[in-house]
Amino acid sequence: MAQDLPKDRTTAPAGSPDGGPQWEAAVRERELAILADISTRLHGEEDVQRILDSTLEALLEGLGLATAWVFLDDEKDHKLRLAAHRGVSPAYLDAVRAHGLGECLCREVLASGHGLQARNTTECPRMPMIGAGLGQPVAHGCVPLAFNGMSRGVLNVAARPGATFEPAELRFLETVGRQLCLAVEGARHLKAERLHNQEARALAALNKGIGESLDPEAVLAAVGRTALEIVRVDRVHILLGSDPRQLTVAHLAGLPHPELRRGQVLDLTALGESLHRRALEEQVRLDTEDWARDDRVNKDIARRWAGAAALILPLVARKATLGLLVLTCASPHRWTEDQVDVAEALASQASVALENARLYDKARRAYRELNEAQARIIQSEKMAVVGTFASGLAHEVRNPLNSIALQLSILERRVAPLPVGVAGEIKELVGVIREEVKRLDNLVGDFLQFSRSNRVQYRPASLDALLDEVTRLLRPEARAAGVTVRRERVGEPIPDLRVDPEKIKQVAINLLQNAIEAMPGGGVATVESGLVDGRAVMVVRDTGPGLPEGLDVFQLFVTTKAQGTGLGLSIAQQIVLEHGGEIAAASEPGKGATFTVSLPVERPDEAAGDEA
Ligand code: ADP
């Protein structure tokens, strides 16, 4: 066989006499040396790119050739993509990048990988332009990266001008192809395994941070913490929203952020920050090693946000954009494969966790609204029944009460002439009866007020003026209890509202009276009013003991007072709801209670006219 070898073997070792067994031995020896060199270089190498680059380098150096290139089969779409090259002309690179592989023999070689078929050809349509500076077509060997029936790509090596690869040389290239295939496959496995590990680590860290909570705040805090700890970055900012003109800064972690504040709304379009915007709009991860030198980004923003290297990851759940997770380093930094993998895993876990928290929050809100609506219906049904009963009862009781009060006055007059001791005793008893009558009369008054609470008459009125009047009215009662009543304004003055003034006054009286009653030993009751966020707001706060714990004070007949009816707050709530408003109570034990009423400035049913 050695005698058949042509004199211009493309891989002939320099200086060896061609053709003889010695020469053949030298060829084999050199091939073994190349394989050993490749093997040493690939030992422990996990990066596919480095595997390909150093194999090409070792091969070309060993063979004394100039040009080689590798196509890898893309796992996603099974298209051959140029993955590594040496000595290939820029024109060829441009053509492959722009138009793909074209009609090429490489595909055939890949498909027949099992048979390790090799080609030695000048037929490639792009051949004339492959070798940098060659200026003429050269033959090239094309062998599959194949092992045990699986093909991962093709290795091409250009021969010297005018020479071709002999079958033995092609077999050697096939051996290199096998070696490469194994190394690439091994690296891909390692990468997949590492990715799973990273994902598992990110997931575990995130889960640990979130715990059982479905609270979006807890999710954001855990994502921020995990990014700092696991991806090892200096700053994290999480922007929520899908409109680049309206992104909310939802979380900040790491070193201080000079320009960003939590809750701030950013308009990326107005800011001219295109990298963030692209990542959000195209739902792609984008990164920059040096923000200040990257033409794709706004340098001014980089300076203001103190980021030098940035990893911008879209948060996407069920195809919907939730926002951006942005990780930055304070100085320029080349993102490692590891960092990118973990950050991507973190972004996808964060998206799921945020989406779950959002859905849970939505469900919880719907459930609460349903409960509240149900409670309101039950309350107003109860109110209707009690109202009917109350008006009948009130009239029936008030007449005899008036009569008893009258009789008591007569009795007092009659006992006046009696001896002082007897008269005094009787007067004391009369006093007790009078107190009880007064209490009954108050009770009846509450019931009557209640029975009338569903008749509403709207007319324009000033809430500020109504509250001035109520504070004036109750000041003497407050003073008697040692309570100071303060009247304050908050926000803007309230324009006239269409309300039932008597009823709104009633609400204020009930709230202020409760405040005074809550402070028998004295204190301060404050009545505030003003326009806040477009709504008319009245606040009554006191410095008393706070609301009784575990009681729904708005419920009918709920009272903690010996002489209470538990009607005052129910009535107040009913009236406020009828006005399309809201009433809420807050309290700090030992520090006081605050009742806040907010009324719409324009009532939705205004157009319907007055009700009677
Ligand atoms: P009543 O005043 O007849 O008890 P309300 O409906 O007005 O009925 O109030 C119900 C209960 O709410 C009161 O008994 C009291 O326990 C509690 N409450 C109301 N206002 C205050 C307040 N300002 N401070 C503390 N507790 C209050």
Side-chain angles (χ1 to χ4, degrees):
M1 181 174 162
Q3 287 83 332
D4 300 336
L5 292 172
K7 298 245 179 297
D8 60 348
R9 281 182 68 136
T10 196
T11 65
S16 319
D18 202 354
Q22 229 183 331
W23 178 81
E24 192 64 46
V27 170
R28 292 286 85 80
E29 200 178 311
R30 192 191 45 185
E31 286 176 353
L32 279 174
I34 295 172
L35 289 175
D37 182 22
I38 293 176
S39 206
T40 317
R41 290 182 192 226
L42 299 193
H43 182 73
E45 184 55 81
E46 293 174 16
D47 187 89
V48 171
Q49 194 60 54
R50 280 199 294 269
I51 287 175
L52 298 176
D53 288 341
S54 48
T55 303
L56 291 192
E57 191 181 78
L59 184 65
L60 293 178
E61 270 173 18
L63 295 178
L65 295 177
T67 307
W69 63 106
V70 174
F71 289 103
L72 281 189
D73 183 31
D74 196 319
E75 286 166 308
K76 289 187 206 103
D77 55 8
H78 287 293
K79 281 196 172 138
L80 281 177
R81 297 225 150 74
L82 187 64
H85 54 87
R86 267 178 92 81
V88 172
S89 77
Y92 177 70
L93 292 181
D94 287 347
V96 169
R97 277 187 196 125
H99 310 294
L101 202 50
E103 279 310 307
C104 175
L105 298 167
C106 292
R107 287 186 208 291
E108 232 179 284
V109 172
L110 180 79
S112 65
H114 187 58
L116 293 180
Q117 195 186 104
R119 294 288 182 143
N120 183 14
T121 179
T122 51
E123 290 161 44
C124 175
R126 293 216 179 97
M127 195 60 226
M129 57 198 294
I130 289 179
L134 277 179
Q136 58 170 306
V138 291
H140 70 287
C142 176
V143 295
L145 304 188
F147 182 78
N148 239 358
M150 76 183 161
S151 260
R152 290 291 174 252
V154 289
L155 162 68
N156 295 284
V157 184
R160 276 192 206 97
T164 56
F165 288 102
E166 285 304 302
E169 291 169 322
L170 286 173
R171 274 199 299 280
F172 165 67
L173 292 183
E174 282 163 10
T175 309
V176 175
R178 251 195 315 273
Q179 203 178 7
L180 210 43
C181 178
L182 274 173
V184 167
E185 194 58 20
R188 280 182 177 171
H189 275 304
L190 267 175
K191 186 175 173 199
E193 200 177 310
R194 210 181 45 232
L195 199 63
H196 285 143
N197 286 341
Q198 312 274 30
E199 278 178 3
R201 260 171 60 208
L203 181 63
L206 198 58
N207 278 347
K208 194 166 141 238
I210 300 170
E212 293 293 297
S213 161
L214 277 167
D215 170 14
E217 289 295 323
V219 172
L220 292 171
V223 172
R225 231 178 9 251
T226 314
L228 290 177
E229 283 167 15
I230 299 198
V231 192
R232 295 180 309 281
V233 290
D234 297 321
R235 290 184 177 85
V236 178
H237 61 262
I238 302 175
L239 308 178
L240 290 185
S242 56
D243 180 354
R245 283 161 307 171
Q246 241 185 327
L247 288 179
T248 307
V249 181
H251 187 72
L252 297 169
L255 297 177
H257 291 73
E259 281 230 355
L260 297 175
R261 271 178 298 105
R262 225 173 127 226
Q264 182 183 1
V265 178
L266 297 178
D267 180 345
L268 293 181
T269 316
L271 283 171
E273 190 6 67
S274 51
L275 210 59
H276 280 67
R277 213 181 66 211
R278 262 190 57 207
L280 187 80
E281 285 175 343
E282 296 171 23
Q283 297 188 341
V284 288
R285 167 181 62 78
L286 291 172
D287 52 76
T288 174
E289 290 176 13
D290 189 353
W291 205 336
R293 268 175 241 287
D294 192 329
D295 284 338
R296 298 169 303 164
V297 294
N298 183 324
K299 316 260 184 306
D300 185 40
I301 298 285
R303 190 182 48 73
R304 283 164 45 196
W305 290 1
L311 201 52
I312 306 172
L313 304 123
L315 298 171
V316 180
R318 294 190 295 174
K319 296 201 179 127
T321 310
L322 306 179
L324 291 176
L325 167 64
V326 185
L327 315 179
T328 61
C329 288
S331 37
H333 168 78
R334 186 158 182 205
W335 297 101
T336 64
E337 235 180 286
D338 260 21
Q339 283 181 305
V340 172
D341 289 347
V342 178
E344 286 202 322
L346 183 62
S348 85
Q349 301 299 350
S351 306
V352 174
L354 280 174
E355 179 67 356
N356 284 347
R358 195 186 65 81
L359 290 176
Y360 175 72
D361 193 48
K362 205 169 138 194
R364 203 177 45 181
R365 220 171 322 130
Y367 180 70
R368 199 179 50 224
E369 277 166 15
L370 193 72
N371 263 347
E372 281 170 4
Q374 212 170 19
R376 271 203 297 275
I377 292 172
I378 294 173
Q379 174 91 337
S380 67
E381 276 173 3
K382 271 202 230 166
M383 302 276 274
V385 174
V386 174
T388 317
F389 165 75
S391 64
L393 180 81
H395 285 114
E396 290 303 318
V397 175
R398 221 170 213 173
N399 289 342
L401 278 183
N402 280 339
S403 159
I404 292 171
L406 199 68
Q407 302 296 332
L408 283 177
S409 303
I410 296 172
L411 190 61
E412 270 177 323
R413 254 183 282 130
R414 290 266 169 91
V415 298
L418 293 178
V420 180
V422 181
E425 199 180 329
I426 295 177
K427 269 191 183 162
E428 206 173 299
L429 290 174
V430 167
V432 172
I433 299 172
R434 203 182 280 287
E435 271 305 301
E436 289 301 299
V437 167
K438 208 171 129 209
R439 191 174 80 80
L440 273 177
D441 194 55
N442 278 344
L443 186 73
V444 167
D446 270 5
F447 271 92
L448 263 183
Q449 192 194 96
F450 187 78
S451 69
R452 286 193 217 110
S453 65
N454 47 2
R455 273 176 274 141
V456 196
Q457 282 186 320
Y458 293 109
R459 61 189 164 79
S462 155
L463 182 63
D464 288 328
L466 289 177
L467 295 181
D468 290 345
E469 197 184 325
V470 169
T471 35
R472 250 197 326 271
L473 201 72
L474 292 186
R475 247 199 198 107
E477 190 179 324
R479 205 172 300 129
V483 171
T484 311
V485 178
R486 290 202 184 124
R487 175 77 182 94
E488 288 174 5
R489 305 289 157 103
V490 288
E492 303 278 301
I494 308 173
D496 276 4
L497 305 174
R498 279 185 69 79
V499 290
D500 183 324
E502 289 311 313
K503 300 227 168 298
I504 293 299
K505 245 162 65 184
Q506 194 59 56
V507 173
I509 290 174
N510 290 2
L511 296 181
L512 188 52
Q513 222 152 23
N514 274 345
I516 296 169
E517 284 169 14
M519 300 180 287
V524 181
T526 312
V527 179
E528 288 173 359
S529 62
L531 202 61
V532 177
D533 291 335
R535 285 176 74 89
V537 171
M538 99 160 99
V539 179
V540 178
R541 72 172 100 248
D542 61 61
T543 55
L547 296 170
E549 255 180 70
L551 272 190
D552 180 358
V553 289
F554 291 107
Q555 279 290 322
L556 264 178
F557 308 126
V558 166
T559 181
T560 55
K561 298 173 192 164
Q563 306 211 340
T565 57
L567 286 173
L569 289 178
S570 309
I571 292 170
Q573 186 187 48
Q574 185 75 1
I575 294 172
V576 171
L577 291 179
E578 271 167 8
H579 281 76
E582 283 164 18
I583 181 166
S587 148
E588 246 191 279
K591 293 204 172 154
T594 305
F595 284 84
T596 307
V597 172
S598 87
L599 298 170
V601 171
E602 275 178 29
R603 290 197 317 104
D605 54 354
E606 240 169 15
D610 291 356
E611 298 157 36

